[in-house]
């Protein structure tokens, strides 16, 4: 029975959750943030070393201006409302992706949040913002090349996730079965867990179920 150290989640289905209830998409995202809060707390309670959440992809800029504005506003409010709790509970925040493309007020909030939790050594909560895995790998390879060695180890050391535990389990909600440019390199040996549950409905019990399933799988890393 193995225990997962690092879990990542593609939080999908906020829009469909809202549509089913004839609510605006933004309401689905608002309920999605509640799920983020719930699952971040659970990850800490369960002793996970790292939880990585796909909050905004490089492709999400193609959504309507209104929806992008709603997501930005939710992220801002989330940092303002939850940062004290993270700081008090030894959670270390981390961002993967190029968050500097976000509006200046959010960038500033993010940097303050990163600085405030930098010395924490409990669960790492990594949030993927303006993140795309191909872009991450290309940036990492360029950095490795500039240092003179384009080996797998050298690239890995330059990824946005450098220093985090290896990815054990990747979860995607809402019934889609694809990676959508998320953690392509890191997922090389990760176990996958897909569920039809829409992200706003994802509970601590679902996370526990995914972790239990992970615990029963035999990982061979290509060996026998
Ligand atoms: C996918 O649902 C979800 C997103 C693109 C955004 C995820 C963001 C959050 C849960 C809120 C912000 C996060 C933090 C960390 C505060 P979708 O809109 O693609 O759903 P659909 O496929 O059903 O339309």
């Amino acid at each position: 029975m193995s225990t997962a150290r690092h879990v990542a989640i593609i939080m999908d289905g906020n829009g469909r959750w809202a549509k089913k209830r004839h609510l605006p998409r933004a309401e689905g995202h608002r309920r999605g943030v509640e799920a983020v809060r719930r699952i971040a707390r659970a990850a800490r309670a369960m002793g996970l070393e790292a939880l990585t959440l796909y909050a905004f992809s490089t492709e999400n800029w193609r959504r309507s201006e209104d929806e992008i504005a709603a997501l930005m506003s939710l992220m801002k409010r989330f940092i303002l409302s939850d940062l004290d709790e993270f700081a008090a509970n030894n959670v270390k925040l981390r961002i993967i992706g190029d968050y500097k493309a976000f509006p200046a007020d959010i960038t500033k909030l993010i940097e303050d949040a990163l600085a405030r939790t930098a010395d924490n050594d409990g669960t790492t909560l990594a949030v993927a913002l303006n993140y795309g895995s191909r872009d991450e790998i290309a940036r990492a390879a360029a950095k490795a090349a500039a240092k003179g060695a384009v080996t797998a180890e050298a690239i890995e050391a330059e990824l946005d996730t450098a220093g985090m535990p290896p990815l054990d389990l990747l979860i995607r909600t809402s019934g889609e079965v694809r990676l959508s440019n998320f953690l392509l390199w890191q997922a090389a040996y990760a176990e996958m867990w897909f569920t039809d549950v829409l992200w706003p409905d994802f509970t601590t019990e679902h996370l526990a179920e995914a972790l239990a399933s992970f615990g029963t799988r035999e990982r061979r890393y290509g060996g026998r």
Side-chain angles (χ1 to χ4, degrees), residues 11-17 25 29 32-33 36 54-55 60 63 67 71 74-75 78 127 199:
M11 311 182 286
D12 199 5
N14 295 347
R16 275 161 288 166
W17 185 94
R25 291 179 63 80
H29 292 314
V33 174
V36 166
Y54 205 3
N60 285 152
R63 297 198 174 197
E67 186 169 354
L71 281 166
L74 282 168
M75 281 179 220
F78 178 71
V127 182
W199 176 248

Side-chain angles (χ1 to χ4, degrees), residues 64-84:
S64 74
E65 252 177 61
D66 277 0
E67 186 169 354
I68 294 174
L71 281 166
M72 298 289 157
S73 152
L74 282 168
M75 281 179 220
K76 207 158 123 179
R77 285 188 352 228
F78 178 71
I79 299 175
L80 289 170
S81 60
D82 287 48
L83 179 59
D84 282 349

